[in-house]
Amino acid sequence: DAGVTQSPTHLIKTRGQQVTLRCSPKSGHDTVSWYQQALGQGPQFIFQYYEEEERQRGNFPDRFSGHQFPNYSSELNVNALLLGDSALYLCASSGAGKWYNEQFFGPGTRLTVL
Amino acid sequence: DAKTTQPNSMESNEEEPVHLPCNHSTISGTDYIHWYRQLPSQGPEYVIHGLTSNVNNRMASLAIAEDRKSSTLILHRATLRDAAVYYCILGTTGANSKLTFGKGITLSVRP
């Protein structure tokens, strides 16, 4: 079992550009959540996808959008990048049909905005 | 979301027990207490969770106060690999549960 995988590992962009980050969930999981972790802070919830729809969303602007594919993999898109978007972006997956949904995290994508 | 309060940091010696405290005075009756940890350069990983009773698993024990306003994560024998940021989180366990992380407590382990 490969666990949760994310790509790319690192990314450097300039202000105003757009970026797409990718996540493959753990085998058997159908729910994907995205988190942003600034340096020295805990991860902050961005949104969660289930059955290809955004199920809930944290306090992030519309510049942050996502998508979930039929194979449960997911993308996070960020438009009009700001310097403050520099962070570690974490993807977590969990499975439906379980009373306790332990979340499994990937290693993250480190985004640097110059 | 109900908030948790944790010390910023704690030090321990290798092979000794470690008690990591967490205060959550505004916990609701349906909130579970979750602990995750984040090793350097990795994503967070699940440690343990509980509702009212003390819980044990292969990684740790969770001791929950009778009034549920505080809890303690217990690592029975700290190893160097246990050096990490430990997050105490309140929340539900349903299919749409999300994790609201604070800053966590940074545990250092001395050899």
Side-chain angles (χ1 to χ4, degrees):
Chain A
D1 185 359
V4 179
T5 59
Q6 293 186 244
S7 63
T9 306
H10 296 86
L11 204 50
I12 299 176
K13 292 285 188 177
T14 56
R15 280 179 297 174
Q17 285 190 311
Q18 178 264 343
V19 68
T20 297
L21 310 181
R22 295 176 176 81
C23 170
S24 291
K26 183 178 169 65
S27 178
H29 285 182
D30 58 8
T31 301
V32 173
S33 302
W34 286 92
Y35 294 81
Q36 179 196 66
Q37 185 172 26
L39 208 57
Q41 305 295 316
Q44 299 301 304
F45 176 76
I46 302 175
F47 43 52
Q48 184 180 84
Y49 277 84
Y50 172 69
E51 292 189 340
E52 302 180 48
E53 292 203 358
E54 184 182 292
R55 181 157 58 184
Q56 56 179 323
R57 188 180 182 92
N59 188 25
F60 279 80
D62 292 344
R63 298 186 297 110
F64 290 77
S65 63
H67 189 77
Q68 186 178 34
F69 299 93
N71 67 353
Y72 308 122
S73 66
S74 177
E75 288 182 350
L76 164 65
N77 301 293
V78 187
N79 294 323
L81 284 168
L82 304 174
L83 296 180
D85 295 331
S86 294
L88 180 68
Y89 288 84
L90 295 160
C91 168
S93 73
S94 56
K98 297 167 64 174
W99 77 271
Y100 183 75
N101 278 281
E102 170 188 346
Q103 295 201 18
F104 290 80
F105 284 81
T109 293
R110 172 72 62 188
L111 172 65
T112 302
V113 182
L114 302 177
Chain B
D1 294 328
K3 292 195 183 299
T4 62
T5 304
Q6 300 177 257
N8 289 333
S9 62
M10 182 173 287
E11 285 189 340
S12 70
N13 295 316
E14 197 176 12
E15 298 188 3
E16 291 186 356
V18 181
H19 291 229
L20 302 177
C22 181
N23 288 320
H24 29 78
S25 59
T26 59
I27 189 171
S28 75
T30 57
D31 279 335
Y32 279 73
I33 302 159
H34 313 259
W35 283 83
Y36 278 71
R37 73 179 185 180
Q38 188 169 19
L39 303 172
S41 302
Q42 295 187 27
E45 64 176 350
Y46 167 81
V47 177
I48 201 167
H49 77 281
L51 184 62
T52 57
S53 303
N54 294 344
V55 185
N56 301 296
N57 67 19
R58 63 174 182 81
M59 287 182 70
S61 295
L62 177 60
I64 302 172
E66 196 168 333
D67 63 5
R68 300 213 320 129
K69 293 186 177 181
S70 66
S71 60
T72 302
L73 179 70
I74 302 166
L75 307 179
H76 296 286
R77 290 184 71 219
T79 68
L80 297 179
R81 196 190 172 279
D82 291 322
V85 179
Y86 287 77
Y87 297 98
C88 171
I89 303 164
L90 302 183
T92 61
T93 65
N96 62 346
S97 64
K98 65 178 185 184
L99 298 173
T100 303
F101 290 82
K103 283 193 171 184
I105 178 172
T106 300
L107 174 66
S108 303
V109 180
R110 291 184 290 253

